[in-house]
Amino acid sequence: MSVLRRAKTWEISESEEETDTDTKSDLNHDESSERATTVSTGLKKDPSSQHKRKTSSATRSESSHTSALPPPRPGRSGTPSPARKRRTKEEIEADREKARERKEERERQRAARAQEKEERRQEQQRRREAAENLKSLRPENCLKCLTVCIDPALLQQDGSDILLDTLAAFEWRFSIESQQLPHCITWTRDLPQQGDDGMGSVEEEQVLLVLGLTDFMEMVVSVKTMLDSEGEETGVGSFLSPLLECLNCDARKVVTLLVTDSQPDYRTNACDVQSELGMENLDIEEVLVYLQLCKNISLVFLDGWQDVTNHVCAVTKALSKRPFKLLTERAELPFCVDGSWASGVRVERDGSELIQVWSKQIQQLNRVSPAVASTVTAAYPSPQLLLQAYQSLGSEEERKGLLAGLIVKSGGKERRIGPEISARVYRCFTAQNPQLVLD
């Protein structure tokens, strides 16, 4: 019994060791078969044979572990790598030069891109400012920049509150301040600030002088007295003296006299005051002609302050529309207009279509058809070439008949330009007298 117990104990320990060391499936199969035979036969086999099998199993396990080891690294074993070829000083300098050139090229490209970006930004800024300036010139925006300046003396008259209430209802800006000319109404326009030295506002040249009938009659007498004294301005009336002084300081001022009175006998025509002045119609007309032609002063008779208010509102609206009209109604050359026009030709920046302008210029002469103009421009593509051809000829008759022999093709027929049109073109381009009649 003791021998059998030792055998079983040995078999169990052997199986545990083989389980830890053996990894192959066929070896496990053999070991399990041998263990089954050992258990069934008991002590039939010799322990020495079992020891030999254990030794062979350990040897196979060691060989399997040895075969699983990784191969040696190339860096630690094997043939050494060949030595790297050293560069010469010239090659190093050449590489440095190439690197420097590449760096400079990148810097130039970066600077060019930065400059182009700055130019685009400036162009956008200019376009934005131009658009804002154009927008500010529109009447609805320009009206917000106008200020109606009213002399305080006008507020002492009955009905002047109608003007203030109307301006406040329209939400127009107005100010009450003393003026250079008493009893007047002026306008100022705000300008966009352009730096520290930019002007904040500018005074319009329109001036409304509001006078009663009595003050106007006094002015008429003063003007008549001045005209009778051969233009002597000393001792003139109270309103005429500051008016003439204001006009002498600034000749661009456009003054309008608004004569107001509640009496219907004096509200339509200046000649109705002759009975009060003891003056004849000719004298009154002489005074009015002097004020209008010599001093650029207009005269308007109004019923009362309601009409004065309507006139002030009309002038204010007209002043708000004037900048935009001046911008859109600039005079341009009729043959270089930008829009589409039957008699105009648009000239591009590269100078194309100039020959069409040259042809249109010749067609401005009477009885010169497009076919004749095309023939002349084909022979002489520019006015300078035609003038040089005239200068190369010796006599006046040869110059007049230079274009007479050119053939004009029109409607399948051929004809010459003729001496008449040739002489007219010559006179047009060589005459020194601006009043010369070509036909």
Side-chain angles (χ1 to χ4, degrees), residues 84-97:
R84 188 171 56 183
K85 183 180 179 180
R86 300 186 63 180
R87 297 184 300 171
T88 62
K89 184 181 293 185
E90 291 77 8
E91 293 176 346
I92 296 175
E93 292 296 331
D95 292 342
R96 290 179 179 176
E97 185 66 24

Side-chain angles (χ1 to χ4, degrees), residues 8-125:
K8 290 182 178 180
T9 303
W10 175 80
E11 289 173 356
I12 292 173
S13 62
E14 182 184 5
S15 64
E16 290 175 355
E17 183 178 357
E18 289 176 355
T19 304
D20 296 334
T21 58
D22 194 8
T23 58
K24 295 184 179 179
S25 61
D26 54 351
L27 185 58
N28 293 334
H29 177 72
D30 296 339
E31 293 296 332
S32 61
S33 300
E34 291 177 1
R35 284 197 301 270
T37 304
T38 304
V39 172
S40 62
T41 57
L43 298 174
K44 291 181 179 181
K45 291 187 178 181
D46 188 31
S48 62
S49 63
Q50 295 177 0
H51 178 72
K52 292 179 181 180
R53 187 167 60 252
K54 180 178 180 181
T55 304
S56 62
S57 176
T59 304
R60 287 196 302 269
S61 177
E62 291 176 0
S63 63
S64 64
H65 282 289
T66 304
S67 62
L69 292 175
R73 294 182 181 178
R76 296 182 180 179
S77 64
T79 58
S81 59
R84 188 171 56 183
K85 183 180 179 180
R86 300 186 63 180
R87 297 184 300 171
T88 62
K89 184 181 293 185
E90 291 77 8
E91 293 176 346
I92 296 175
E93 292 296 331
D95 292 342
R96 290 179 179 176
E97 185 66 24
K98 291 180 180 179
R100 190 183 305 109
E101 291 178 357
R102 288 195 298 268
K103 183 178 179 180
E104 292 177 355
E105 181 65 23
R106 288 194 299 269
E107 293 293 337
R108 285 194 296 267
Q109 293 178 359
R110 189 180 297 109
R113 288 194 298 268
Q115 184 178 1
E116 184 179 358
K117 183 178 180 180
E118 180 65 19
E119 290 177 357
R120 287 198 304 266
R121 189 191 65 79
Q122 293 179 359
E123 181 66 21
Q124 292 176 358
Q125 182 68 19

Side-chain angles (χ1 to χ4, degrees), residues 371-372 375 406-415:
V372 174
T375 302
L406 297 179
I407 302 300
V408 180
K409 296 181 181 181
S410 176
K413 298 180 180 180
E414 296 183 356
R415 63 181 180 87

Side-chain angles (χ1 to χ4, degrees), residues 266-318:
Y266 308 111
R267 67 189 182 191
T268 57
N269 199 317
C271 295
D272 294 337
V273 300
Q274 61 179 351
S275 59
E276 295 290 336
L277 298 177
M279 302 172 61
E280 298 180 357
N281 292 339
L282 185 60
D283 298 333
I284 298 294
E285 293 177 358
E286 183 182 0
V287 171
L288 298 181
V289 168
Y290 171 79
L291 292 176
Q292 187 171 4
L293 298 183
C294 298
K295 299 300 180 180
N296 197 20
I297 299 175
S298 302
L299 180 64
V300 179
F301 282 88
L302 301 175
D303 290 341
W305 270 97
Q306 183 61 53
D307 292 344
V308 173
T309 301
N310 296 338
H311 191 87
V312 170
C313 294
V315 174
T316 304
K317 292 181 179 179

Side-chain angles (χ1 to χ4, degrees), residues 162-344:
I162 299 177
L163 176 61
L164 300 181
D165 294 342
T166 304
L167 295 178
F170 287 154
E171 297 182 354
W172 293 350
R173 295 191 306 178
F174 64 91
S175 64
I176 301 174
E177 54 186 11
S178 300
Q179 305 291 322
Q180 180 182 2
L181 188 63
H183 291 79
C184 74
I185 300 175
T186 60
W187 287 263
T188 59
R189 184 194 309 275
D190 293 341
L191 297 178
Q193 294 289 341
Q194 300 177 356
D196 298 336
D197 298 335
M199 296 179 59
S201 62
V202 62
E203 185 176 356
E204 299 288 345
E205 61 269 15
Q206 295 291 333
V207 178
L208 297 181
L209 181 58
V210 183
L211 297 178
L213 184 59
T214 304
D215 297 331
F216 173 70
M217 293 190 317
E218 181 182 355
M219 179 180 292
V220 170
V221 173
S222 300
V223 172
K224 180 60 178 175
T225 303
M226 183 182 64
L227 294 177
D228 292 341
S229 61
E230 298 181 357
E232 183 67 28
E233 298 183 2
T234 57
V236 295
S238 59
F239 285 97
L240 183 60
S241 178
L243 177 59
L244 296 179
E245 182 180 355
C246 178
L247 294 177
N248 292 333
C249 295
D250 191 355
R252 298 177 303 171
K253 294 292 185 180
V254 179
V255 181
T256 301
L257 289 178
L258 302 182
V259 182
T260 62
D261 197 89
S262 59
Q263 300 180 12
D265 296 338
Y266 308 111
R267 67 189 182 191
T268 57
N269 199 317
C271 295
D272 294 337
V273 300
Q274 61 179 351
S275 59
E276 295 290 336
L277 298 177
M279 302 172 61
E280 298 180 357
N281 292 339
L282 185 60
D283 298 333
I284 298 294
E285 293 177 358
E286 183 182 0
V287 171
L288 298 181
V289 168
Y290 171 79
L291 292 176
Q292 187 171 4
L293 298 183
C294 298
K295 299 300 180 180
N296 197 20
I297 299 175
S298 302
L299 180 64
V300 179
F301 282 88
L302 301 175
D303 290 341
W305 270 97
Q306 183 61 53
D307 292 344
V308 173
T309 301
N310 296 338
H311 191 87
V312 170
C313 294
V315 174
T316 304
K317 292 181 179 179
L319 291 176
S320 66
K321 297 178 181 179
R322 185 172 63 174
F324 191 76
K325 286 185 176 181
L326 292 177
L327 182 64
T328 56
E329 296 178 359
R330 286 179 178 176
E332 301 288 348
L333 295 176
F335 49 86
C336 293
V337 294
D338 194 11
S340 57
W341 184 43
S343 300

